[in-house]
Structure formats: C-alpha cells, structure tokens
Amino acid sequence: PWSVAAVAAAAARRVRARPPVWPRASTRIAAAVRAMSAEAGSAPAPAAAVQPGVVPEGFETVTEGAATVLFSSEQGANAFYNKVQVRNRDLSILVLNEFSRQLAFEAEDQIERRRLRQPWRKIPATWDVWGRQVPAQEPKPEQSDAADKAAAAEESGQEGKDKPDVQPVDHLAAGLCGMRILEALAASGLRSVRYIKEIVEGVGIEKLIVNDLEAHAVESIKRNAAFNGLTGDERFVPSQGDGTMLMYKHRVEPDSNKEHTRVKSFLGASNAIWDMEKDAFDVIDLDPYGSPAIFMDSAVQAVRDGGLLCVTATDLPTLCGKNSENCFAKYRAMPLKVANYPHEMAIRMLLGFIESKANVYNRHIVPILSVHMNFYIRVFVRVYTNRNEIKRSATKLATVFHSRGCESFWVQRLAEAK
C-alpha cells in the first residue's frame, strides 16, 4: 500500500516534470488589443470634440438654472456633483448679482465724491447701508426767492452754462472694471458656468478663474464650458492647481492703486488692466468638501479691499459639538453640546475664525449674509483693510455660559469699546 510520504513524493515529481504553460504570443497580443479597445471606449470625450448643445455618446445631462452640464454614464468617471447644494448655488447667484450692483453704486459714489472734491479713494464699509451712500444730486441750501429765481434761470441755461452735470452715472459709459472671480474648488464647473450665464447685473463679470486640483475635473470643466458655448469666451478661464497656492499668488499689494477704485479713468492705462497672474480678486468662492479652515489664510489675502468671500462649511458635526477638541483645533472655538442653538453658534464660530485670520493682515470682515441649509452653513462677508477697525476686533468676541439644568445662557463679552 502507498504511504502518505510516497504519494507526496510522486505528486512532487509530476509537478516538477510538467512544463510551464505560457499563452501563445498571438493570444497575448489579442488580449492586449481588447484591453486597449475597452479602455478607449470608456474614456470620456475630450473637451475639444464637444459641440455646444450636442450630447456626446456615453454622457448624460444635468440642467440647473441656465446651465446644462455633462456627466458620464459610467460610475466613478465624473467630477464631484452635489444635488443637495442647488439652493446654495441659487443663493450665491442672487448675492453676487446684488454685490455686482453694489460695486456699480460705489463706483458712482466715487465719481460723485471726486466731482464734489471730497475724499473718494476709501470706500466706506457696508455696515448699515447697502446701495448708494452719496446722493446723485447736491441738496439745495435754504435761500431767498431771488436766489431761487436765479437758480432756476441758471438751470434753464440762461446763465451759468458751465455748471457740471449731476445726473446719475451710467456705469457702462463710465468704464467700470467688471468683477474678477475665483472659484478655487470648481469640480465639474457647474457653479462657474451658472455664474457666467446668470450674473448680468451691475458691473458684470470681467474674468472668472475656474480652478481644481484634479486633472479629470479640469477636463470636465473644459467639456462643460464647450457644451455651454463658452469655449471662445475670454471671461471663462479653466485652471489646474492647488487652490491655496493660487490664492497666495494673488495676495493683495498694500500700496496698489487698484484697490481704491474700479473706475478705469481714475486708474490710468497701466493699472486698469487686471493681471491674471498676480492681482487680487473681487470675489473668492470656497465650497470645499469638509472644513474651509485650511484655505482661510490665503483667501483673506487674495481678495481686494471691499471684496467678497463666499465660504461653505460642511463639517457641521464638528462645529455643532460632536467633536469639540477637533473644532477648537480647526476654528479656535469650543462649541457647546447642551445649547439649543447649534447652527447659529456654528455660523458665529466660522465668522469669528475668518475675522481672526483677516486681522493678522490688518483686515476685518463685514458679514453680508449667513445661512444654514441641510448639512452645511454658508457665509458671505466683505473684507476691508483698516488698521483702526481691527483694534475693535476684541469687542466682537464673547464667551457663552449655558446652564446644564435649563435653557438659560449668559454672554460675557471679551472687551467693550469706550
């Protein structure tokens, strides 16, 4: 009878005697060709081959607002798209349209101030006033009937023909610079396509930098721009790179004349041209997946004086107290777990964090709009450079003491202005 050892030895001899089985060369080549064909068939259509309004094979369309973008039918081949944030993008377009109108109002105010020989370079912060801050026509002082008749005769052209025009200024005729916008984390580029198509108020858009770190996302941006007929639009500029480093390259120059006005005639020929490689932005839009904390230092430096920061934070569990230690590490604030106002506290902590980053560079923020939606918060703030205002930053901070036994709370300010 065969022993176990003998059986094992016989099996080993048969294995050693069997020659290795290699596929034939023709079989290997055919398999490689089939793999290459499958890969080529699944590759997304290049942006250069996309025609406006023509859906390439293997793609589906998503329409939002005035934009329609392409997404591949294959799983994992698309840039990130979040259907829940449609209201986020709708709200952003409303705010940017209003901000564009505000920039036109402020430029008209500067023209009027300069005509009246008043200080015009420094734009007042929009704390309580939104819209025109200087009347389009000088108020008439109290005067006698004779003076009224003389003024009426002067206005009718009988005398005083050299009186300057005080009619409201047409911002197009005045030659105002349009908005320069950066979307640092663009993904599919849907938000930027909507910006180009739907922001038509006020000064409008002069340049829109659509940036993303991933190569496939930038290709998606170019493809969606081509599908929406924006390939030849010089305002729409796709960009690939690190968003933080891109903003650092566009840091504000403290002594730049471009920060004072957007009236081209006031800037001169050289300063009226925006340098796409280094000049600051009017609007920076940050919508990261998670915390925006790592982008704040560069963002507060890359927005011009009076510019707008649009910031989204989707890490609400952290901001609402689920991980207080992590929240303090990111935002330098400790949320309360017992409070029944977690979303308001999250908004205030984000605003305080942006203010603290801006103060380092002699800048401060003016909140325009702050909202909580679904799983994220969104804030819109204007950034101003003012050494005196940052001395008041301590008066904007406070510690909240909340009772564990009831809903009572007490706010202890860090400082008060006297």
Side-chain angles (χ1 to χ4, degrees):
W2 288 81
S3 64
V4 176
V7 173
R13 285 195 299 271
R14 287 196 298 270
V15 171
R16 286 196 298 269
R18 182 181 300 170
V21 179
W22 300 99
R24 295 179 181 180
S26 59
T27 305
R28 297 198 303 271
I29 293 174
V33 170
R34 286 195 299 270
M36 293 174 61
S37 300
E39 183 178 353
S42 62
V50 176
Q51 300 297 323
V54 180
V55 182
E57 185 179 355
F59 282 84
E60 300 174 351
T61 61
V62 174
T63 300
E64 185 180 302
T68 301
V69 294
L70 298 171
F71 287 96
S72 175
S73 303
E74 297 187 5
Q75 295 293 333
N78 293 315
F80 180 73
Y81 170 67
N82 196 334
K83 297 181 181 179
V84 181
Q85 295 208 15
V86 173
R87 288 193 297 174
N88 183 333
R89 292 182 281 269
D90 292 342
L91 180 65
S92 300
I93 290 168
L94 289 173
V95 173
L96 262 64
N97 265 312
E98 188 64 27
F99 179 66
S100 180
R101 294 179 67 246
Q102 176 66 19
L103 292 179
F105 288 149
E106 292 175 355
E108 294 174 15
D109 289 343
Q110 286 186 318
I111 295 173
E112 188 69 9
R113 288 176 190 273
R114 184 169 178 175
R115 189 192 68 80
L116 298 174
R117 294 180 174 83
Q118 297 177 357
W120 60 270
R121 282 184 170 83
K122 192 63 177 175
I123 301 173
T126 51
W127 286 106
D128 302 311
V129 180
W130 189 266
R132 292 192 60 90
Q133 298 189 18
V134 176
Q137 189 171 357
E138 295 181 63
K140 296 182 179 180
E142 296 182 0
Q143 49 192 0
S144 62
D145 294 339
D148 288 338
K149 293 180 180 179
E154 183 179 348
E155 290 177 0
S156 64
Q158 296 179 10
E159 50 182 300
K161 294 183 179 181
D162 295 331
K163 182 179 180 180
D165 185 15
V166 294
Q167 297 299 320
V169 180
D170 183 356
H171 68 271
L172 294 177
L176 304 185
C177 302
M179 291 190 297
R180 294 83 179 235
I181 304 175
L182 169 66
E183 186 183 6
L185 311 164
S188 66
L190 171 59
R191 184 188 299 265
S192 292
V193 173
R194 291 193 62 185
Y195 281 177
I196 284 288
K197 287 179 168 289
E198 299 181 44
I199 298 177
V200 294
E201 303 288 341
V203 298
I205 297 178
E206 178 179 329
K207 197 72 69 174
L208 175 55
I209 310 297
V210 193
N211 181 77
D212 202 278
L213 180 62
E214 302 293 338
H216 76 279
V218 178
E219 183 65 23
S220 177
I221 292 169
K222 295 178 180 178
R223 186 165 54 244
N224 290 325
F227 185 73
N228 286 271
L230 300 177
T231 302
D233 196 327
E234 296 182 353
R235 300 174 300 167
F236 193 93
V237 182
S239 169
Q240 181 180 359
D242 183 277
T244 302
M245 296 307 299
L246 178 61
M247 288 186 284
Y248 276 131
K249 292 179 182 178
H250 288 261
R251 285 178 292 185
V252 171
E253 298 179 9
D255 299 329
S256 172
N257 291 329
K258 299 181 182 181
E259 295 302 308
H260 298 311
T261 183
R262 60 192 326 102
V263 183
K264 293 181 179 180
S265 61
F266 294 177
L267 289 169
S270 59
N271 287 333
I273 301 175
W274 187 71
D275 191 337
M276 196 167 60
E277 299 297 327
K278 66 176 183 178
D279 284 348
F281 297 97
D282 295 294
V283 180
I284 295 180
D285 195 310
L286 294 173
D287 189 3
Y289 184 77
S291 172
I294 60 175
F295 302 101
M296 281 301 101
D297 184 74
S298 55
V300 296
Q301 298 183 70
V303 65
R304 68 185 292 272
D305 192 18
L308 186 70
L309 273 184
C310 316
V311 183
T312 301
T314 60
D315 56 338
L316 268 189
T318 299
L319 285 164
C320 292
K322 185 176 181 180
N323 192 336
S324 301
E325 296 82 2
N326 192 24
C327 182
F328 185 81
K330 289 182 178 180
Y331 299 100
R332 312 308 295 173
M334 189 75 73
L336 295 176
K337 296 181 181 180
V338 297
N340 59 353
Y341 39 85
H343 302 130
E344 179 184 350
M345 179 170 288
I347 288 175
R348 292 182 181 277
M349 287 191 295
L350 179 59
L351 292 175
F353 177 72
I354 300 174
E355 171 82 4
S356 66
K357 288 294 184 180
N359 289 164
V360 176
Y361 305 102
N362 295 321
R363 317 192 87 182
H364 70 98
I365 68 170
V366 177
I368 302 300
L369 179 65
S370 305
V371 296
H372 161 252
M373 295 184 187
N374 297 310
F375 60 89
Y376 60 89
I377 56 176
R378 177 81 161 166
V379 298
F380 301 87
V381 301
R382 296 192 73 174
V383 181
Y384 294 93
T385 303
N386 192 323
R387 295 177 182 271
N388 293 325
E389 186 61 34
I390 64 171
K391 297 177 182 179
R392 300 171 53 88
S393 61
T395 64
K396 305 174 187 178
L397 302 177
T399 301
V400 179
F401 298 92
H402 193 100
S403 171
R404 289 183 176 272
C406 65
E407 298 301 326
S408 300
F409 64 91
W410 175 261
V411 178
Q412 178 64 54
R413 289 185 175 274
L414 186 63
E416 293 184 0
K418 294 184 179 180

